[in-house]
Amino acid sequence: MNHAIRVHEPGGPEKLVWEEVPRPDPKPGEALVRHEAVGLNYIDVYFRTGLYKAPSLPVTIGMEGAGVVEAVGEGVTDLKPGDRVAYAGALGAYAEARCVPADRLVKLPEGISTEQAAAMMLQGMTAQYLLRRTYRVQPGDTILLHAAAGGVGLIMVQWAKHLGATVIGVVSTPEKAELIKAHGADHALLSGEDIPARVQEITGGAMVPVVYDSVGRDTFLASLDCLRPLGLMVSFGNASGPVSVPDLGILAAKGSLYVTRPTLNTYTAKREDLLATAQDLFEVVRSGAVKIRVNQTFPLKDAAEAHRALEGRRTTGSTVLLP
Ligand code: NDP
């Protein structure tokens, strides 16, 4: 017996249907994982609404999970039944059990629970590549981060502080402002404020070398105005809607700026990069430098409620769905 949340046609949270599905058999190169926890991520909303196209319908959405290996397919030699594993970036996670390509799975070290793993693999590895590779944050850098109280955001705030940066976070409510300050943010701005003016004030006119912007449409242009000359705009999400690229001349006019639109899949496409990224994440979590806040849990069958909360901006930190 196996159950999953499937989407038969794109739309609102009501399109998330809990139904019985066949128990999958691992094909060569795959492992069957029984989930103990599934991660909730904003990308799940994009797949549900159709902003990101599923390869076919009906689709089991969800990109992240953690649990125990039940069986392995032909050719899988480094995993065995009973191993505790997690993954991020493989569509099909909103299920009690599912098959995953074995080369996308990471074994969990002691001290990391499956619930914690489901809360952090996608958001935490994203924080890792954004802060360590897309732009390598140095001690003394001042960085600007949107949606700082969210899943990716709250991890990035703590990690950037651990790296010695000054963190300016943007959030929508005073409660979220308090939350990011409690996690180390130096400055908490409210999204209704004039963000470039506030950044100018805080940096004494120098502005910032990098902006991490996952809000997208609503914030893109103002984010460019927060950068110093030759600064890097990291546009890594579309919570308010996708960004259409303006006339490239705008980058010249605003100081020879760089823009990138990165994805975790690109940064972890090679297995060695996946393992190194996960390892780095495990280290900061096990050392206590970064605390994974599972601030909401929902039964997996109630994924629609979880989506309403996420899109309604009522969640902070990470959210986990429990099968
Ligand atoms: P979050 O927990 O950060 O939730 C989204 C947050 O965005 C909200 O809490 C809200 O915070 C803010 N927001 C601003 N405008 C809106 C809006 N119009 N509607 C809804 N929310 C809005 O989600 P995740 O941590 O899962 O993901 C954060 C972002 O990072 C997403 O855009 C996601 O797509 C992106 N992402 C990108 C990856 C990549 O590799 N490119 C990988 C992982 C995530 P507030 O109320 O404070 O404004």
Side-chain angles (χ1 to χ4, degrees), residues 42 46 123 126 129 150-152 171-172 176 214 236 239 262 264 313:
Y42 220 90
Y46 308 145
Q123 295 167 347
T126 299
Y129 85 75
V152 176
V171 293
S172 63
K176 290 184 179 182
S214 65
F236 71 101
L264 177 63
R313 302 163 83 155

Side-chain angles (χ1 to χ4, degrees), residues 260-271:
T260 184
R261 176 57 177 90
T263 75
L264 177 63
N265 276 347
T266 315
Y267 279 84
T268 55
K270 288 189 200 145
R271 176 132 181 101

Side-chain angles (χ1 to χ4, degrees), residues 145-154 157 169-172 180 212-215 236 239:
L145 172 61
H146 286 277
V152 176
L154 213 49
V157 166
V170 184
V171 293
S172 63
I180 66 166
Y212 293 106
D213 186 338
S214 65
V215 173
F236 71 101

Side-chain angles (χ1 to χ4, degrees), residues 85-105:
V85 292
Y87 62 89
L91 189 64
Y94 283 20
E96 290 172 328
R98 57 122 5 142
C99 291
V100 184
D103 65 2
R104 293 288 91 197
L105 289 170

